[in-house]
Amino acid sequence: MALWRQVAGDKPYVSFIHLNLEEDPHAPVRRHRFGLSSGRLALMEELSAMQDAGVNHIGFHLRRNRRPLTETLEELGREVLPHFS
């Protein structure tokens, strides 16, 4: 982040995560190439850490997601996103 701020100043920093949102909300983070598999609680901890580090925007790639897409999006919208501005 320090290097990004040196080059870009106050421009937003954007990152993407290949996400597999586990059905168990307590499932721990399991990292994989360019992303992670976790329950929503561990995902929220990960997002908080990224926010604290200065990441402004996160995009989720759901190609590796194993649950129905509608179910995953509903959980993200209902349980995760309200905790972040």
Side-chain angles (χ1 to χ4, degrees):
M1 289 306 304
L3 290 174
W4 173 258
R5 295 290 172 223
Q6 285 177 1
V7 173
D10 288 334
K11 291 182 180 176
Y13 184 87
V14 178
S15 187
F16 293 88
I17 298 172
H18 287 268
L19 175 65
N20 176 39
L21 187 63
E22 299 282 345
E23 192 168 344
D24 175 4
H26 299 282
V29 169
R30 289 180 294 135
R31 299 193 185 282
H32 52 73
R33 189 172 184 212
F34 301 120
L36 54 92
S37 206
S38 76
R40 72 171 174 261
L41 299 174
L43 173 62
M44 290 168 61
E45 289 178 16
E46 188 79 11
L47 294 175
S48 290
M50 293 175 83
Q51 186 176 43
D52 291 346
V55 176
N56 302 99
H57 302 284
I58 298 290
F60 297 125
H61 289 291
L62 298 172
R63 260 187 297 189
R64 293 182 177 214
N65 194 59
R66 295 187 184 109
R67 292 170 57 191
L69 188 55
T70 302
E71 181 180 307
T72 299
L73 291 173
E74 286 174 357
E75 183 174 349
L76 288 170
R78 183 183 62 249
E79 302 291 343
V80 177
L81 297 181
H83 296 277
F84 299 94
S85 57

